[in-house]
């Protein structure tokens, strides 16, 4: 993949050149994560605002409509501080999720011990859809079940945390600007 996005020109349209290779879509989720992850970090470091819904959600009524009252100004500043903290927390969740998808081989964290597997011919057969010939099937067998284990619950919680960040990315997609 090669992407070149030029600066916004004063006149005319922005120059954009994108080339996507076949392998870029093989694991498109990983490919996109490798782009999204550093962009989210940069956004968090350079942001100058937050989604307006976070301020309204924290402070209640829109302060701009009530700015003639001093107490609205005071509560707005407090609401703004709370909303900024909340936006940072949301961005942190997104950043963590895309980091996991782009940089980490977190599956290894949940496999403990020395796993050894072998393929053993099973008693089941199936007809080959092309040749029609009956062919054997094979089953993966754990050759070392007492010396390793897989933490399914821990892995599932990790996946759920990743999904939370991805869902927040979708929810706030239109707010990812600076």
């Amino acid at each position: 993949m090669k992407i070149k996005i030029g600066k916004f020109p004063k006149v005319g349209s922005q120059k954009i050149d994108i080339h996507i290779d076949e392998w870029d879509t093989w694991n498109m989720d990983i490919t996109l994560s490798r782009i999204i992850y550093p962009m989210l970090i940069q956004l968090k470091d350079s942001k100058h605002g937050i989604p307006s819904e976070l301020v309204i959600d924290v402070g209640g009524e829109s302060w701009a409509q009530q700015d003639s009252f001093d107490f609205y100004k005071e509560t707005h500043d407090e609401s703004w501080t709370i909303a900024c903290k909340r936006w940072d927390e949301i961005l942190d969740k997104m950043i963590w999720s895309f980091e996991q998808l782009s940089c980490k081989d977190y599956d290894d964290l949940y496999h403990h011990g020395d796993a050894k597997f072998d393929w053993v011919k099973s008693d089941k057969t199936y007809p080959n859809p092309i040749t029609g010939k009956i062919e054997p099937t094979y089953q993966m067998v754990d050759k070392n079940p007492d010396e390793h284990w897989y933490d399914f619950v821990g892995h599932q919680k990790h996946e759920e945390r990743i999904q939370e960040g991805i869902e927040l990315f979708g929810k706030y997609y239109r707010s990812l600007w600076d």
Side-chain angles (χ1 to χ4, degrees):
M1 175 182 293
K2 293 179 185 175
I3 300 172
K4 182 170 180 161
I5 302 174
K7 293 181 179 181
F8 282 103
K10 293 180 182 178
V11 178
S13 55
Q14 186 180 28
K15 292 183 181 180
I16 300 173
D17 183 29
I18 300 174
H19 173 78
I20 299 173
D21 295 298
E22 289 180 12
W23 54 84
D24 293 324
T25 54
W26 180 256
N27 282 334
M28 195 164 106
D29 58 334
I30 304 303
T31 302
L32 292 173
S33 294
R34 290 179 177 157
I35 297 166
I36 294 168
Y37 170 60
M39 290 184 81
L40 286 171
I41 291 171
Q42 182 178 325
L43 175 66
K44 184 179 178 198
D45 290 343
S46 65
K47 69 182 180 312
H48 294 100
I50 62 171
S52 60
E53 66 195 69
L54 293 178
V55 178
I56 292 170
D57 184 40
V58 173
E61 296 181 52
S62 173
W63 74 278
Q65 297 169 4
Q66 302 294 331
D67 62 359
S68 59
F69 299 107
D70 289 338
F71 64 89
Y72 272 103
K73 290 178 185 176
E74 292 168 13
T75 58
H76 170 70
D77 291 342
E78 182 181 341
S79 298
W80 178 259
T81 301
I82 292 168
C84 286
K85 183 178 178 194
R86 186 195 249 166
W87 183 231
D88 279 344
E89 290 168 357
I90 291 167
L91 286 171
D92 285 340
K93 288 178 180 183
M94 287 189 250
I95 289 167
W96 183 87
S97 294
F98 285 101
E99 177 187 27
Q100 298 303 298
L101 294 172
S102 66
C103 304
K104 304 283 185 176
D105 191 10
Y106 61 87
D107 288 341
D108 292 344
L109 298 172
Y110 302 99
H111 291 275
H112 305 280
D114 187 23
K116 294 181 182 177
F117 297 99
D118 198 5
W119 291 96
V120 177
K121 190 174 183 179
S122 73
D123 58 350
K124 296 181 181 177
T125 59
Y126 81 100
N128 182 311
I130 296 172
T131 64
K133 180 181 170 187
I134 301 296
E135 296 186 6
T137 61
Y138 293 84
Q139 178 178 351
M140 189 168 74
V141 177
D142 189 346
K143 292 173 49 176
N144 198 14
D146 295 330
E147 294 190 28
H148 74 90
W149 62 281
Y150 168 64
D151 180 5
F152 176 79
V153 173
H155 194 189
Q156 191 64 33
K157 287 183 179 185
H158 195 117
E159 292 289 340
E160 288 169 3
R161 186 173 169 201
I162 289 172
Q163 189 62 33
E164 177 188 17
I166 293 169
E167 288 174 7
L168 287 168
F169 181 81
K171 179 178 179 179
Y172 291 102
Y173 184 79
R174 299 293 305 262
S175 297
L176 296 174
W177 53 266
D178 184 31

